[in-house]
């Protein structure tokens, strides 16, 4: 789940790169994101892109995103009923409500990548506190939280008070980073509750 | 309330979202949802209320399951309600796992994000009741009020069926949001008259007015929409003809603003601003009042006239919105022109001249409520709308 899937935008590139890697491993990937017009496309073999529009512009990014997420929920629920899926991967606070609700609805594990926190972005809008709350809820509900760099890792630890064992620093500029994400997916499939310390937190039985 | 039994096929599992629910009450939506949910439960339906609370709680009252979820600090009401809606949605997912809901029923714009989210995730039809519109309440004059107007439109667009609470208001919603005929219904509000018959609270009339004074009651939020300034403007003209009159103004809102306005006009000694009063005290006041006034300039339904009627007290109210229906001129009360000080003053004076006539109108008003505004009928009509939404959804 991603806000958008465009060219040369960092979160989009992250999502595309991961999707291409996973597809190369024979894994089916569905990307659900916002777009000004609806589109069902394929990014390659086994990668389905579902772009959903939302017509209300909203008076702020926060309010717009809270409503736009309803469309992400609808599309994701349809995919789940159509083909099912094993893992939900949310990207940044902007997919919070759909990622959280979908994980609860489907009872599938939630992995989240926080590309930057509101605190890192400067806490500069009147909705910053709410956005930070949404980041907290998203990371709280996630089984594993991925951060892309030291700064975000530190903010997740210090500003959002995430426990160390829940965060994994995976730098998407380093070769083979996608393999590490796949490892985490596989741990979840094998019933691990958190990224690491699997022995401590694996589901009994 | 006696519980009826429905067959498994007739019984509906209903999820109702409202931002306010007793004992937490700000406007009329809380009472509406309280009475409607109790009546639906008494008919054998499985009714769940999702609402705001300082902390999470699950309660059960008269067959209705009430689930309260908190929100968080927010810079404005829209974003506060967005956050609240997400908490409601999570609770709805949890409850839906116990047994699938048949419908989600959202009340006013503040629960539209929750209603739509629940609809889209749980794949169930949404019913949307509008109690008023932003255009009517304050007008659309900036990006904030436009966003509320957009949320109201979004609710009407996403809902399978829409309920409006007044005949005039039905037309307002239909034209404002371009709603097709087959999607929108008018189901009037109601009053639980048993509350008026069994009310235990007994406010002392002497706390509000002298024995020789007539007590005229205003109940409502102190805001421009309720026309309070027109009432204050009319009071000198009433006192001129009926000097032994006291105006009791009950309700929260811009209390200090209107209090100082009353003193500026020179009627401070003849007005009593009570501030917010609990429901049982209000019922007692309605019963003790000689007349109720409802000078609103915008009123989708006008519940005050019905509550007054249930207490056998006639109402002088503006000929606007729902008050056109809830007052029958010269039969259950009197109509005045909206936003017209002289007209309001004349009608109050007319009613005060003849005590017997005024009491006769009060008795007629009570009969009107008994015959036409019971929750039993309203609940039946509402389940009819639920049924239609479910049929169209399938």
């Amino acid at each position: 789940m991603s806000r958008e899937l465009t060219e040369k935008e960092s979160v989009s590139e992250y999502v595309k790169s991961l999707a291409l890697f996973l597809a190369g491993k024979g894994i089916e990937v569905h990307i659900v994101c916002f777009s000004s017009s609806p589109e069902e496309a394929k990014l390659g073999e086994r990668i389905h892109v579902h772009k959903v529009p939302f017509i209300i512009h909203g008076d702020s990014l926060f309010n717009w995103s809270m409503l736009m997420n309803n469309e992400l929920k609808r599309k994701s629920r349809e995919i789940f009923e159509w083909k099912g899926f094993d893992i939900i991967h949310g990207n940044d606070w902007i997919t919070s409500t759909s990622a959280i609700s979908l994980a609860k609805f489907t009872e599938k594990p939630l992995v989240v990548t926080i590309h930057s926190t509101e605190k890192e972005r400067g806490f500069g809008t009147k909705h910053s506190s709410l956005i930070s709350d949404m980041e907290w809820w998203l990371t709280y509900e996630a089984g594993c939280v991925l951060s892309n760099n030291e700064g975000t890792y530190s903010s997740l630890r210090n500003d959002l008070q995430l426990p160390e064992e829940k965060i994994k620093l995976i730098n998407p500029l380093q070769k083979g980073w996608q393999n590490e994400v796949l490892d985490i997916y596989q741990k979840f499939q094998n019933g691990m509750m958190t990224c690491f310390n699997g022995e401590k937190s694996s589901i009994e039985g | 309330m006696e519980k009826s039994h429905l067959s498994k096929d007739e019984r509906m599992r209903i999820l109702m979202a409202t931002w306010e629910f007793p004992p937490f009450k700000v406007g009329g939506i809380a009472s509406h949802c309280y009475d409607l949910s109790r009546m639906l439960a008494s008919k054998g339906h499985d009714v769940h209320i999702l609402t705001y609370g300082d902390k999470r709680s699950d309660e059960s009252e008269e067959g209705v399951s009430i689930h309260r979820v908190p929100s968080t600090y927010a810079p404005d009401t829209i974003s506060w309600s967005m956050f609240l809606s997400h908490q409601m949605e999570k609770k709805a997912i949890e409850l839906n796992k116990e047994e699938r809901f048949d419908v989600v029923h959202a009340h006013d714009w503040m629960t539209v994000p929750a209603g739509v989210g629940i609809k889209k995730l749980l794949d169930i039809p949404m019913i949307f009741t509008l109690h008023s519109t932003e255009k009517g309440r304050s007008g659309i004059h900036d990006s904030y009020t436009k966003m509320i107007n957009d949320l109201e439109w979004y609710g009407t667009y996403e809902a399978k069926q829409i309920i409006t609470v007044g005949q005039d208001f039905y037309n307002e919603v239909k034209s404002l949001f371009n709603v097709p005929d087959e999607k929108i219904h008018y189901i009037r509000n109601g009053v639980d008259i048993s509350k008026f018959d069994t009310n235990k609270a007994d406010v002392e009339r002497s706390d509000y007015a002298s024995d020789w004074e007539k007590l005229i009651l205003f109940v409502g939020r102190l805001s421009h929409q309720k026309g309070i300034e027109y009432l204050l403007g009319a009071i000198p003209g009433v006192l001129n003809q009926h000097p032994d009159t006291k105006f009791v103004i009950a309700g929260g809102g811009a209390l200090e603003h209107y209090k100082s306005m009353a003193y500026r006009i020179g009627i401070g000694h003849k007005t009593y601003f009570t501030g917010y009063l609990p429901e049982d005290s209000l019922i007692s006041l309605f019963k003790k009042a000689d007349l109720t006034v409802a000078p609103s300039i915008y009123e989708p339904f006008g519940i005050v006239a019905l509550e007054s009627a249930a207490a056998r007290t006639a109402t002088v109210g503006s000929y606007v919105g729902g008050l056109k229906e809830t007052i029958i001129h010269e039969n259950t009360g009197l109509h005045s022109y909206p936003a017209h000080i002289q007209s309001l003053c004349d009608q109050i004076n007319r009613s005060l001249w003849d005590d017997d006539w005024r009491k006769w109108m009060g008795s007629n008003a009570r009969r009107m409520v008994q015959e036409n505004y019971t929750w039993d009928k309203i609940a039946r009509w509402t389940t009819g709308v639920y049924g239609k939404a479910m049929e169209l959804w399938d």
Side-chain angles (χ1 to χ4, degrees):
Chain A
M1 307 184 92
S2 178
R3 176 186 176 174
E4 57 187 351
L5 200 66
T6 53
E7 293 301 319
K8 295 181 180 162
E9 184 271 329
S10 64
V11 179
S12 301
E13 293 302 328
Y14 177 94
V15 170
K16 276 191 274 186
S17 169
L18 181 58
L20 287 165
F21 171 83
L22 294 169
K25 296 277 181 188
I27 296 167
E28 186 173 325
V29 182
H30 291 262
I31 302 169
V32 184
C33 60
F34 164 77
S35 171
S36 53
S37 57
E39 193 184 334
E40 295 285 332
K42 284 191 112 181
L43 196 62
E45 193 67 21
R46 288 184 284 273
I47 304 175
H48 306 262
V49 179
H50 312 272
K51 293 187 175 179
V52 292
F54 180 63
I55 46 179
I56 294 177
H57 296 298
D59 64 334
S60 64
L61 178 65
F62 178 79
N63 290 334
W64 173 82
S65 83
M66 294 297 274
L67 295 175
M68 183 277 290
N69 266 263
N70 283 338
E71 295 307 316
L72 300 186
K73 286 169 211 165
R74 176 189 56 81
K75 179 50 79 180
S76 305
R77 195 250 311 145
E78 285 171 5
I79 297 165
F80 184 70
E81 285 170 355
W82 171 44
K83 302 197 100 173
F85 44 69
D86 302 305
I87 299 272
I88 300 159
H89 191 153
N91 283 277
D92 269 351
W93 74 271
I94 215 152
T95 62
S96 297
T97 62
S98 51
I100 293 169
S101 292
L102 197 65
K104 287 187 178 294
F105 179 70
T106 60
E107 298 180 1
K108 294 295 177 189
L110 174 62
V111 174
V112 161
T113 300
I114 299 292
H115 297 262
S116 65
T117 65
E118 186 65 3
K119 190 72 188 287
E120 285 179 284
R121 290 187 293 269
F123 229 78
T125 75
K126 69 174 184 171
H127 291 112
S128 286
S129 166
L130 277 170
I131 290 170
S132 190
D133 276 359
M134 289 313 305
E135 283 170 347
W136 184 88
W137 272 106
L138 182 62
T139 55
Y140 175 78
E141 298 282 3
C144 183
V145 180
L146 312 182
S147 80
N148 294 341
N149 55 68
E150 291 282 357
T152 304
Y153 182 91
S154 165
S155 181
L156 288 168
R157 287 282 289 125
N158 300 316
D159 301 323
L160 297 178
Q161 303 282 308
L162 256 71
E164 197 179 344
E165 63 270 23
K166 201 171 180 177
I167 321 171
K168 171 91 170 158
L169 174 57
I170 300 179
N171 183 351
L173 299 176
Q174 280 178 1
K175 207 174 167 198
W177 68 273
Q178 301 97 330
N179 241 325
E180 291 186 68
V181 178
L182 180 57
D183 273 354
I184 288 162
Y185 287 173
Q186 282 165 343
K187 275 181 182 167
F188 273 108
Q189 270 209 301
N190 294 333
M192 301 301 179
M193 295 274 288
T194 57
C195 308
F196 315 106
N197 303 335
E199 293 128 45
K200 284 183 195 165
S201 55
S202 60
I203 299 167
E204 292 282 327
Chain B
M1 219 173 274
E2 201 177 315
K3 183 138 183 158
S4 350
H5 295 282
L6 296 171
S7 70
K8 206 180 164 197
D9 287 346
E10 292 170 319
R11 173 185 164 273
M12 293 180 190
R13 187 162 153 89
I14 300 156
L15 183 61
M16 204 179 280
T18 167
W19 82 278
E20 54 166 329
F21 195 80
F24 178 67
K25 283 170 73 173
V26 175
I29 300 174
S31 299
H32 175 98
C33 292
Y34 179 77
D35 289 327
L36 177 61
S37 60
R38 271 192 330 151
M39 186 54 75
L40 289 168
S42 78
K43 291 189 177 303
H45 298 293
D46 184 12
V47 187
H48 292 257
I49 299 284
L50 275 179
T51 191
Y52 165 76
D54 291 336
K55 54 186 178 195
R56 278 169 205 287
S57 68
D58 299 282
E59 310 145 30
S60 181
E61 196 183 319
E62 295 191 53
V64 179
S65 303
I66 304 152
H67 312 279
R68 298 182 197 273
V69 291
S71 186
T72 189
Y73 165 78
D76 53 59
T77 311
I78 297 177
S79 47
W80 183 86
S81 67
M82 295 282 181
F83 195 90
L84 175 70
S85 284
H86 179 54
Q87 306 306 318
M88 286 180 167
E89 184 179 284
K90 286 192 284 187
K91 186 69 195 179
I93 295 166
E94 181 190 318
L95 295 169
N96 195 63
K97 287 191 192 297
E98 294 165 9
E99 190 185 337
R100 187 178 159 78
F101 285 107
D102 293 307
V103 290
V104 56
H105 186 171
H107 289 265
D108 257 6
W109 68 268
M110 286 177 75
T111 55
V112 163
V116 177
I118 291 166
K119 166 200 155 174
K120 292 192 182 248
L121 198 64
L122 304 186
D123 196 20
I124 55 173
M126 170 186 164
I127 290 89
F128 180 37
T129 293
L130 282 119
H131 296 261
S132 61
T133 64
E134 185 65 5
K135 188 166 188 285
R137 284 188 301 265
S138 66
I140 314 300
H141 45 78
D142 55 20
S143 64
Y144 188 79
T145 49
K146 183 178 180 306
M147 180 70 193
I148 294 174
N149 182 68
D150 284 352
L151 278 167
E152 289 167 347
W153 170 83
Y154 185 47
T156 62
Y157 178 76
E158 291 289 352
K160 205 73 196 162
Q161 296 285 285
I162 300 157
I163 297 171
T164 57
V165 294
Q167 184 65 58
D168 260 27
F169 186 54
Y170 166 92
N171 293 323
E172 180 195 330
V173 170
K174 215 167 77 163
S175 69
L176 182 61
F177 301 121
N178 283 315
V179 180
D181 279 350
E182 61 275 16
K183 197 173 171 178
I184 185 165
H185 306 265
Y186 155 48
I187 299 181
R188 55 176 64 127
N189 234 320
V191 168
D192 180 2
I193 50 174
S194 67
K195 278 189 209 164
F196 287 78
D197 295 339
T198 58
N199 184 44
K200 298 270 191 311
D202 196 16
V203 298
E204 289 294 330
R205 192 184 188 282
S206 56
D207 287 347
Y208 297 92
S210 304
D211 290 348
W212 57 87
E213 285 179 318
K214 291 268 169 33
L215 193 161
I216 299 187
L217 179 65
F218 167 96
V219 175
R221 196 165 21 87
L222 303 188
S223 67
H224 176 66
Q225 181 201 327
K226 299 291 177 186
I228 181 77
E229 56 265 57
Y230 298 101
L231 174 61
L232 297 181
I235 290 174
V238 175
L239 292 174
N240 191 29
Q241 296 197 27
H242 300 92
D244 291 335
T245 307
K246 179 62 78 66
F247 289 83
V248 176
I249 295 163
L255 191 64
E256 294 308 318
H257 169 73
Y258 288 110
K259 247 184 190 176
S260 65
M261 187 185 281
Y263 278 93
R264 274 203 312 277
I265 298 171
I267 52 168
H269 63 301
K270 285 291 185 181
T271 52
Y272 184 161
F273 289 83
T274 68
Y276 171 80
L277 284 180
E279 186 182 63
D280 51 357
S281 301
L282 276 180
I283 289 175
S284 184
L285 258 181
F286 270 123
K287 286 164 132 179
K288 289 189 163 43
D290 293 286
L291 181 74
T292 299
V293 282
S296 305
I297 56 170
Y298 173 71
E299 198 62 80
F301 181 67
I303 191 79
V304 168
L306 281 196
E307 289 171 333
S308 178
R312 296 184 171 82
T313 303
T315 301
V316 170
S318 310
Y319 189 69
V320 66
L323 290 169
K324 289 181 187 173
E325 297 166 67
T326 54
I327 297 170
I328 302 170
H329 187 60
E330 296 184 343
N331 184 286
T332 66
L334 295 169
H335 277 132
S336 62
Y337 290 112
H340 198 299
I341 290 172
Q342 192 56 49
S343 170
L344 181 63
C345 173
D346 290 346
Q347 297 304 331
I348 295 172
N349 278 330
R350 266 187 87 197
S351 73
L352 292 181
W353 282 123
D354 190 337
D355 289 348
D356 289 341
W357 184 47
R358 198 179 58 251
K359 284 176 188 161
W360 174 80
M361 289 194 288
S363 302
N364 292 344
R366 165 78 180 200
R367 201 161 44 247
M368 174 189 75
V369 172
Q370 276 170 319
E371 287 169 7
N372 300 309
Y373 293 91
T374 61
W375 280 107
D376 181 61
K377 281 186 180 173
I378 295 160
R380 282 176 206 278
W381 291 328
T382 305
T383 48
V385 172
Y386 292 166
K388 192 173 178 193
M390 286 160 65
E391 201 182 300
L392 291 168
W393 194 256
D394 290 341

